[in-house]
Amino acid sequence: MRLEDLGFNALLENYRIENNLTDFEIGRVIAEHKERYTVKTVKGELEAEITGNMRFSALSREDFPAVGDWVALTVYDPDFSIIHHILPRSSVIKRQAIGQPGEIQIIATNIDCAFIVQAADRDFNLNRLERYLTICNESKVKPVIIISKTDLLDEIGLNEILEIINARIKNVPVIAISNTTGKGYDQVREFMENGKTFCLLGSSGVGKSTLLNNLSGKHLMRTDTISHSTKKGKHVTSHRELIILESGGILIDNPGMKEVGITDSTGGLEKTFDLISRLSKDCRFKDCTHTSEAGCSVINAVNNGELDKAVYENYLKMEKEMEHFMSTAAERRKKEKVFGKIIKNYKKDMKKNDQ
Ligand SMILES: Nc1nc2c(ncn2[C@@H]2O[C@H](COP(=O)(O)OP(=O)(O)OP(=O)(O)O)[C@@H](O)[C@H]2O)c(=O)[nH]1
Ligand SMILES: [Mg+2]
Ligand SMILES: [Zn+2]
């Protein structure tokens, strides 16, 4: 295996040389288990941990390695390596961490293209599609929408879904697939360029791992049937994992997500809701919130039917969520800083007492 097969490129190579990382082994994080990482290198798969320094100087989750990262490490033996550096990320897909207000969770890094998977039978939801588009657009990851399980629907039902998507979401490719019949697989494969990294996003039970297994021709990820009593997915995939397909392309499977909270995604919202961004240039006030202001061209567009009310409402909801996230994150950082100072003073006092 060459590093290029894993997605290594000239930009990363230049960085490696310019930053004197030539004495380190270079590899890509393919799995994470509670701050232990599996890193794929030309020497094989290595188990690695981070340096103490990296852990203590980390300000947020973004300072820790994530699946998809390129790292520089020292190899002691195959079961023990130390990660010293994370090479610059070309993209980061992230969401709000569950149960930790103001904190982010990295879904994957260095992604070229995201497959946003929704099942045709009962998972399909436009608001949620726009949410996934926002987190992809924020990081300039090319989104592709995949509608799975089309075998459970007749032609008319499927066309209805595709029309609904086309009416609301422009300029994003949509592929209808069935993991059972293989429908749409040729179109998916067309996107999968050699050396490029793709990731699978979507709710639990929509068929992400089944798609990955079928594309690889191997049973790499466990898949399972959905609980019929609750009609809910069982979260079969429990951790992120990066896989290289023999046919070319690198694919990251993710556990199904229930919530996709927006973080600091100004650019992502602008791109996803580009009609709103264009309209807002004509609002009377520069800082118009498009909620109640006079001379708001966004509200005008909703009133005259140019802008879909559902799109407008989804935009406002995510915009509000983003503002809330950013103020909570700022508050969190402030508290952590104060806490850091308390610890520092405490340690100083301890030293004084020792003398
Ligand atoms: N009928 C039909 N069933 C499918 C299709 N794709 C997947 N399934 C079934 O749906 C169930 C869930 O599939 P998985 O691939 O495990 O779903 P997942 O998205 O990986 O789920 P998590 O790992 O929990 O996020 C399995 O029983 C699959 O056999 C499809 O296109 N059609
Ligand atoms: Mg899965
Ligand atoms: Zn406005």
Side-chain angles (χ1 to χ4, degrees), residues 208-209 222 236-237 253-254:
K208 298 180 295 297
S209 302
R222 202 165 71 83
V236 176
T237 306
D253 193 11
N254 280 294

Side-chain angles (χ1 to χ4, degrees), residues 37-57:
Y37 305 88
T38 310
V39 182
K40 203 170 174 98
T41 69
V42 288
K43 290 197 174 134
E45 291 181 14
L46 309 171
E47 289 305 309
E49 286 173 24
I50 55 172
T51 59
N53 190 28
M54 193 184 266
R55 177 171 296 119
F56 294 118
S57 60

Side-chain angles (χ1 to χ4, degrees), residues 117 148-152 177-181 202-211 222-226 233-238 253-257:
V117 189
S148 65
K149 305 199 183 183
T150 57
D151 53 284
L152 300 176
I177 69 156
S178 164
N179 287 321
T180 320
T181 68
S203 308
S204 183
V206 296
K208 298 180 295 297
S209 302
T210 311
L211 173 62
R222 202 165 71 83
T223 60
D224 212 343
T225 42
I226 289 169
K234 278 197 283 191
H235 288 278
V236 176
T237 306
S238 56
D253 193 11
N254 280 294
M257 290 189 277

